[in-house]
Amino acid sequence: MEFRQAEMKDIPQIMEIIQAAQQYLKQEGIDQWQNNYPNPDSLKEDITNNNSYLIKDRDKIVATAAIIFGDDPTYSYIEGGKWISKGNYGVVHRAAVAETYKGQGIISKIFVQTYQLAAADGITSIRIDTHPNNKAMQRAIEKEGFKYCGIIYTEDDSKRFAYEKLI
């Protein structure tokens, strides 16, 4: 499997993964990603900013994530806890795995690659958040060794459980 930055030509395949994830979340009664986000415009912005990554199995994209290094405004306030570190950090956003590849450790591969990118830039922690009802993602995050830190709020004031891991 190949891990690489996404390109504009990848957007249709990435959107297939995102739309399947949106449908899954809807079926589970989770209102995460139900407001036309992520969408092609947000993917274009991630690609333009060199923040969009994917995992490819031969010619098929099987996972996607935005990996961003630098301050994330939604992480400036945390409720009911505190961040583990105070230094520079990376963030994983908009992570999704193709339906037929779920349960194969693909999300872990995204995290491993994120740690490598972070280490190359001298970054020592990774943060991530997810919907309070997204138990599958919470399990994946905790299995990876992230520690629950508290609650953050997205730009639209949606509540998210926030996690951090020192690397």
Side-chain angles (χ1 to χ4, degrees), residues 18-65:
I18 297 292
Q19 289 167 342
Q22 289 168 329
Q23 186 60 35
Y24 166 80
L25 292 167
K26 184 177 183 178
Q27 289 171 347
E28 295 294 310
I30 302 168
D31 66 357
Q32 185 176 11
W33 290 10
Q34 299 303 301
N35 58 352
N36 191 35
Y37 173 87
N39 57 47
D41 290 337
S42 57
L43 292 176
K44 286 176 189 171
E45 184 178 339
D46 285 340
I47 291 168
T48 299
N49 293 326
N50 296 315
N51 295 331
S52 184
Y53 292 84
L54 56 82
I55 293 181
K56 204 168 183 183
D57 185 13
R58 292 178 221 115
D59 62 343
K60 182 176 174 63
I61 296 171
V62 300
T64 181

Side-chain angles (χ1 to χ4, degrees), residues 63-164:
T64 181
I67 301 170
I68 305 163
F69 298 106
D71 288 338
D72 184 324
T74 59
Y75 288 2
S76 61
Y77 170 76
I78 188 164
E79 183 177 282
K82 64 180 185 174
W83 295 112
I84 297 169
S85 70
K86 294 187 187 310
N88 293 335
Y89 58 90
V91 178
V92 177
H93 283 309
R94 299 177 284 288
V97 176
E99 197 66 37
T100 55
Y101 283 78
K102 285 186 178 180
Q104 298 181 29
I106 303 296
I107 196 75
S108 181
K109 292 180 190 314
I110 289 173
F111 287 131
V112 167
Q113 295 295 328
T114 301
Y115 308 149
Q116 291 175 0
L117 291 170
D121 279 350
I123 293 171
T124 58
S125 85
I126 302 297
R127 296 177 182 177
I128 191 168
D129 64 87
T130 193
H131 192 283
N133 295 334
N134 192 340
K135 303 300 183 200
M137 189 58 160
Q138 289 171 35
R139 281 190 301 274
I141 291 168
E142 290 167 1
K143 181 179 178 184
E144 191 59 36
F146 282 80
K147 302 296 180 211
Y148 175 80
C149 293
I151 295 169
I152 60 108
Y153 294 89
T154 62
E155 287 180 15
D156 68 356
D157 211 31
S158 297
K159 178 179 175 177
R160 297 289 184 262
F161 285 180
Y163 300 80
E164 185 174 20

